[in-house]
Amino acid sequence: MAQLNYNHLRYFWMIAHEGGLTRAAARLNVTPSALSVQLQKLERQVGHPLFDRVGKKLRLTEAGRVALDYADTVFKTGDELLNTLRGRSDLERKALRVGAIPTMSRNFQLEFLRPLIGREDIELVVRSGSLRDLLHDLDALVIDVVLSNSPAPQDARSALRSRLLKEEPVAIVGRPGLGPFRFPMDLDGAPILLPSLGSELRTAFDRLIDLAAVRPVIMAEVDDMAMLRLLARERRAYALVPPIVVRDELENGLLEELHRIDGLAERFYAILQDRQFPNALLQDLMPSSGLRAD
């Protein structure tokens, strides 16, 4: 069996981290054409293209992203060997890259990631952004999964799959002392804090109060659930949130759940891309049982 040529692997590793042949060639003190030949040899050996050629730019393929993760580990191991022999041992670590939209409950994110939290062999990378930007990063293999309150847009050519992870009830909450509450009539003319327009939760709530001919006074519209939670603590106003978002405040008596709204739910999705080499750590977070494609 042919063995992997680690010189070729290092050349690929340098190209990926430098962002192109020219810069990598300058670092390695070789010509770009010679470097390209070595890259082609590695691609033939592994049996997959490692880059897509987009004009003059190189973009990692899915196989290239997997190869880069392994190459990072391989060359980091050399550093770890030196550190070990010098009395400074490091643990080999795997990475999981997660994207989450701002409206995603921090408490839910914590529950989702809990099986990996505290493991010293794992590095968690969590970034926030718009659904559009995060799906772009997912397509570019920069992140492994996107957490969202809505499924990914679908078309006939889409390689995205949306997995419904959980449905959470939604409630009207407020600071202690707001008194007895009748839904929806007590919202008429009352101050309220709401998720921003465009969210599925806000759309469903607006439909309910329109049917009831109720007009609350909107004090704030927030697309970040963490900020909505803080505002609910500070303002003497009603707030529309899934109780999981304000779980700590409910337990500590800073907020009260006044009414749970039947038929209204917040949904939490994991959006994945069909990949030949998915990140194995996702199996620890999303076992096959209890999940369904949406």
Side-chain angles (χ1 to χ4, degrees), residues 175 193 228-235 249 254-255:
R175 288 166 53 178
L193 308 167
L228 186 58
R229 165 176 161 262
L230 293 176
L231 288 174
R233 291 171 49 173
E234 297 295 326
R235 299 293 299 270
E249 286 77 10
L254 297 174
L255 293 173

Side-chain angles (χ1 to χ4, degrees), residues 165-198:
L165 300 175
K166 196 172 186 181
E167 288 185 338
E168 285 287 339
V170 176
I172 300 293
V173 305
R175 288 166 53 178
L178 287 177
F181 178 81
R182 300 166 300 161
F183 181 84
M185 58 282 295
D186 283 351
L187 290 178
D188 199 28
I192 192 168
L193 308 167
L194 294 173
S196 61
L197 288 168

Side-chain angles (χ1 to χ4, degrees), residues 59 65 97-100 127-146 160 271 273 275:
R59 173 181 168 181
R65 172 59 62 183
R97 305 171 184 90
V98 180
R127 61 180 62 178
S128 180
S130 69
L131 182 59
R132 178 180 178 180
D133 289 344
L134 293 176
L135 292 182
H136 178 272
D137 287 346
L138 184 66
D139 181 62
L141 308 175
V142 175
I143 55 179
D144 300 302
V145 61
V146 173
L160 299 178
I271 302 176
Q273 186 182 49
R275 294 182 180 176

